[in-house]
Amino acid sequence: MYKLRQIGSVTAYNFRQWRKNPRIFMTFALAFILCFLLSDKAVKFAQEYQTTMQIVEAFVWTFGDANSILLSSLLLVLLFADMPFISDGTPLYLVRIDRKTWLFGQALYVVLTTGIYMVFILISTVVVCMRQSFIGNMWSETAAILGYSGAGKAVALPALVKTLEMSNPYECMATIFLLMLLYTLLMTFVMLTVNIRKGQLAGVVSVFAYSLLGFLLNPQIIKTLFKLPDALMYKANVAMGWISPLNHATYHMHNFGYDLLPRLWQTYAIFGMLIALCFLLALRAIRRYNFTFSGTEN
């Protein structure tokens, strides 16, 4: 229990630093603007057809798309670029607790902050479309038009028929939320590990490399680059579905009973193992980490 209190103390101290950090306001403000720009397509579509939306559908249609997940996750670089969060209070904590306990506190802060950010993203999409939405757990007429008529593809909304047929809105929203959360947590733990081992610049570079990998490992991009015939597109789609972290975070890139893509539980397990591996590497690296407290000098 004493160790848990120490971990909680480190985490709480990091949250208290939000009052002095303008990047917090900037990150959440940019996140709301991003949600508005991405969700506005669905809202305008519903207005044009004079239909209503289920209140979480804007989130489902927006973040069922890999590019939207990628853009929203990159904003967290503003929050986590200075990991492992060395501040005026760090020397005091390191005198009283060991390095591993201190790092556990940092990791808990990263998990909670990422969770808060994801909840904010969800709430932002709800706010954008709430004026013409209902809360019942059923797909709306807007969703039916987007999914079954092909109009969703025309306006770049990933409204897939299997989403409508195999889930309800809240279940689908919870799954997409969890996929986004795990994808973003893996990104932040990669950044934490590289920051400790190689420095903050390398940590930022690792995030962009992680994101670029996900962007490039897109079946359509692979098809264009290698000029694959349509006959090979299924194999490319399956291969990229297993290899790319971003495709693992994309709802429709999963096996719903009739293909060889990863199942949801397999994606959860893969993300969980990779996050745990990154944290174990960070725990090992923190033993040799050279703390520099230049910010505390007068």
Side-chain angles (χ1 to χ4, degrees):
M1 289 300 296
Y2 181 64
K3 288 286 187 182
L4 291 178
R5 286 198 297 269
Q6 290 179 328
I7 292 171
S9 177
V10 173
T11 303
Y13 178 80
N14 283 341
F15 277 113
R16 288 196 294 271
Q17 301 306 301
W18 281 25
R19 293 174 297 178
K20 306 175 183 179
N21 193 346
R23 289 182 301 169
I24 303 299
F25 172 79
M26 184 181 300
T27 301
F28 284 94
L30 289 174
F32 181 81
I33 293 172
L34 178 66
C35 289
F36 175 80
L37 294 175
L38 294 176
S39 303
D40 195 49
K41 294 182 297 183
V43 175
K44 287 184 176 179
F45 185 89
Q47 291 174 342
E48 180 181 347
Y49 281 81
Q50 297 182 344
T51 55
T52 58
M53 299 174 60
Q54 209 281 340
I55 199 163
V56 298
E57 279 181 358
F59 177 82
V60 169
W61 304 142
T62 299
F63 293 102
D65 177 68
N67 292 329
S68 298
I69 297 172
L70 179 64
L71 290 173
S72 63
S73 65
L74 282 174
L75 287 178
L76 281 177
V77 175
L78 290 173
L79 287 182
F80 296 144
D82 58 343
M83 287 193 291
F85 312 115
I86 298 173
S87 61
D88 294 351
T90 304
L92 177 62
Y93 277 105
L94 291 176
V95 168
R96 297 186 174 186
I97 63 178
D98 60 81
R99 291 185 174 204
K100 289 185 178 181
T101 302
W102 179 80
L103 186 60
F104 268 102
Q106 304 294 345
L108 179 58
Y109 167 75
V110 167
V111 171
L112 293 177
T113 301
T114 305
I116 291 170
Y117 176 78
M118 288 297 136
V119 170
F120 180 82
I121 291 287
L122 172 60
I123 293 174
S124 296
T125 58
V126 168
V127 169
V128 169
C129 71
M130 66 186 305
R131 291 185 61 184
Q132 55 189 103
S133 299
F134 61 90
I135 62 174
N137 195 18
M138 63 181 70
W139 297 110
S140 68
E141 185 180 357
T142 305
I145 295 172
L146 286 171
Y148 290 101
S149 71
K153 185 176 181 180
V155 295
L157 289 171
L160 300 178
V161 174
K162 64 182 175 184
T163 300
L164 301 176
E165 294 179 341
M166 304 189 69
S167 64
N168 54 57
Y170 290 119
E171 177 190 356
C172 187
M173 176 273 293
T175 302
I176 292 174
F177 181 90
L178 182 56
L179 291 172
M180 286 181 63
L181 179 63
L182 290 172
Y183 171 81
T184 309
L185 281 175
L186 178 57
M187 182 193 76
T188 55
F189 273 87
V190 167
M191 189 177 181
L192 174 63
T193 303
V194 176
N195 274 21
I196 293 173
R197 295 177 66 90
K198 300 294 183 180
Q200 292 180 356
L201 178 59
V204 173
V205 171
S206 71
V207 169
F208 286 103
Y210 174 86
S211 302
L212 182 62
L213 175 68
F215 176 76
L216 292 178
L217 293 179
N218 180 292
Q220 293 302 322
I221 293 178
I222 296 296
K223 178 182 179 181
T224 302
L225 288 177
F226 295 99
K227 299 180 180 180
L228 296 177
D230 291 339
L232 293 178
M233 271 305 296
Y234 174 74
K235 293 183 178 180
N237 193 62
V238 171
M240 295 306 103
W242 280 98
I243 296 172
S244 169
L246 186 58
N247 286 332
H248 273 287
T250 307
Y251 181 75
H252 65 83
M253 291 294 290
H254 287 88
N255 183 345
F256 292 94
Y258 48 81
D259 53 36
L260 298 177
L261 288 167
R263 294 185 179 273
L264 288 169
W265 71 265
Q266 292 171 323
T267 287
Y268 301 151
I270 290 170
F271 274 133
M273 288 187 293
L274 290 176
I275 291 169
L277 176 61
C278 287
F279 185 60
L280 289 175
L281 292 174
L283 282 174
R284 184 175 180 179
I286 199 66
R287 295 180 297 179
R288 300 184 300 274
Y289 184 74
N290 184 24
F291 287 90
T292 302
F293 303 109
S294 58
T296 62
E297 295 177 358
N298 295 322

